[in-house]
């Protein structure tokens, strides 16, 4: 259940990571126990995701994070409007290793 009064976390894993990594699962579990919403962005090609062409994971590529965070912000703004709440919810970026750059 999404709580509009808690932060939303966008988690970026490390080079060989994904949502199955223990450090990601621990973070998700702890933040969810506080009532926060957590989204894990799986990098291109990680966790057996399909990649077309040469668009594989690259630590310096920020476009995917930009697109994901903008989509989350639009969704949160839309939710606030639907709930007739003027307050905007906080989106927090969390990164580990290559996901933290």
């Amino acid at each position: 259940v999404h709580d509009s009064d808690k932060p939303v976390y966008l988690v970026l894993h490390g080079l060989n990571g994904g949502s199955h990594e223990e450090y990601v699962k621990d973070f998700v579990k702890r933040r969810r126990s506080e009532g926060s919403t957590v989204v894990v962005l799986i990098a291109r090609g990680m966790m057996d995701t399909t990649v077309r062409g040469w668009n594989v994971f690259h630590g310096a590529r920020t476009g995917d994070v930009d697109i994901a965070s903008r989509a989350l912000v639009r969704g949160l703004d839309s939710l606030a409007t639907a709930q007739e709440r003027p307050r905007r919810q906080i989106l927090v970026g969390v990164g580990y290793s290559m996901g933290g750059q």
Side-chain angles (χ1 to χ4, degrees):
V1 177
H2 177 74
D3 186 341
S4 301
D5 294 323
K6 301 287 183 173
V8 174
Y9 294 90
L10 175 59
V11 179
L12 310 174
H13 60 77
L15 178 60
N16 292 317
S19 58
H20 64 281
E21 294 294 328
E22 291 302 319
Y23 61 89
V24 174
K25 291 192 306 188
D26 182 64
F27 181 85
V28 170
K29 181 180 177 182
R30 289 171 187 263
R31 298 298 76 83
R32 290 291 302 134
S33 71
E34 297 170 351
S36 293
T37 298
V38 183
V39 177
V40 180
L41 176 66
I42 305 302
R44 297 174 186 224
M46 299 292 123
M47 294 189 67
D48 296 325
T49 56
T50 303
V51 176
R52 294 184 181 179
W54 291 97
N55 288 325
V56 296
F57 174 78
H58 189 292
R61 179 184 287 122
T62 59
D64 294 343
V65 177
D66 181 53
I67 291 167
S69 61
R70 288 177 189 269
L72 283 169
V73 167
R74 281 192 308 273
L76 293 172
D77 287 347
S78 177
L79 182 61
T81 300
Q83 294 176 345
E84 298 179 347
R85 283 186 304 111
R87 193 171 113 196
R88 291 181 59 160
Q89 197 162 3
I90 295 173
L91 176 61
V92 181
V94 178
Y96 176 79
S97 186
M98 293 288 283
Q101 295 193 15

